[in-house]
Amino acid sequence: GVAKKKLPAGVNINTATIPELMTLPHIGPEIARRIVAYREKYGRFDEHYEIMEIDGIGEREYADMKKLFVID
């Protein structure tokens, strides 16, 4: 078979560490830090689309990653 890049079953963006967040497409260390800072300031994400509040995550990035994270 064709080797596929292993994708996480679902990164929980409310609890994930910076390295875990960085397994998502478009998320590098800086955006991962912004996600953690957002959680510290505002609390948990209640809806998937709220990740677009993070500077650097727009509709295109969200479309690529929305099936790869959870907000449990």
Side-chain angles (χ1 to χ4, degrees):
V2 176
K4 290 185 180 174
K5 183 179 173 192
K6 182 162 175 15
L7 294 170
V11 173
N12 184 339
I13 61 168
N14 283 319
T15 59
T17 63
I18 288 172
E20 288 168 344
L21 290 166
M22 289 171 56
T23 65
L24 293 167
H26 309 291
I27 307 291
E30 184 55 39
I31 293 178
R33 281 192 287 274
R34 290 179 196 154
I35 293 170
V36 171
Y38 181 95
R39 288 192 321 227
E40 289 170 353
K41 184 172 183 180
Y42 299 107
R44 60 181 316 235
F45 292 91
D46 292 317
E47 301 289 344
H48 271 77
Y49 63 81
E50 290 176 5
I51 200 167
M52 288 190 287
E53 296 290 326
I54 307 300
D55 190 32
I57 301 177
E59 289 187 19
R60 182 174 61 85
E61 291 81 10
Y62 174 68
D64 288 346
M65 70 175 74
K66 68 183 176 184
K67 291 184 171 74
L68 302 175
F69 70 85
V70 296
I71 52 171
D72 295 336

